[in-house]
Amino acid sequence: SKKAAALLISMIMLIGIVGFLGYQFIRADEIEVRGAESFDAPYVVALSGIRSGTHIFRVDKRAAAAGIAQDPHLVLENIEYAFPNKITLVVSERKEAACFEFMGTYVITDYSGIILGHVESSEQPVIRGINVTEFALGAKIRTDDTFKQNIMTILLENTTAYQLTDLVREVDLTDTNNITLGLSNGMRVVFGQADQMEEKLAWLQNILKELEKQGKTGGVIDLSSVQMPTYLPPQEP
């Protein structure tokens, strides 16, 4: 029994030593990034503040998320672990979708109204008719009309879904009963009221394809009634 007890104690000590050594060697020697299409991995890792050699159990996800959020284009979704020495930062990117004129500059937002930065000039669609009262990087815009803000979000998200983002140059929300879009081909689109947006955008996608086949540019596409969409060519001189 003494030999058995000694053997048991030796096994426990051996397991403890192996466990301790294993714990010491579980370190993030390899840090990868997944989901960053527009940013280099070293840039994302630097923002996270996680250094090579950091013990995996000491990686602070909350601090890493806050560090990565310094760039409003990036969001840390998860940290994946592959023992013994690898972690993967899983991120998503906010895409630039539109802009507002503000104090002589253009404020860039994503599809949901999150502020991504400001520039002197922009190729993004310009949102008009909505009064931005406050903005901060990485936060949603604040306006004096949340109804218009909701319309803007629905429009931006659905223009992407219907592959119309590159065509839209201006969104005018001045009159929510007469919403209009300005397109890069010179056409103006009349939406009327902010209802049946998805149906109207589906019509717009199909109508634009047909007008492109006919070589049409300019004019007005009226989608205020989804039962009777119309196209009015530009007036001849």
Side-chain angles (χ1 to χ4, degrees), residues 83-123:
F83 294 101
N85 64 347
K86 176 181 173 182
I87 65 171
T88 301
L89 304 177
V90 183
V91 301
S92 61
E93 289 187 23
R94 296 187 176 110
K95 302 296 185 181
E96 297 183 356
C99 64
F100 302 85
E101 290 183 275
F102 187 86
M103 302 288 290
T105 63
Y106 290 94
V107 180
I108 306 295
T109 80
D110 73 348
Y111 300 103
S112 60
I114 300 292
I115 301 300
L116 302 181
H118 59 90
V119 292
E120 294 300 321
S121 61
S122 175
E123 296 181 357

Side-chain angles (χ1 to χ4, degrees), residues 159-179:
T159 51
T160 302
Y162 287 98
Q163 300 176 334
L164 297 168
T165 305
D166 293 339
L167 289 173
V168 179
R169 288 292 169 263
E170 180 179 285
V171 178
D172 193 340
L173 301 175
T174 304
D175 182 357
T176 54
N177 290 313
N178 189 35
I179 299 167

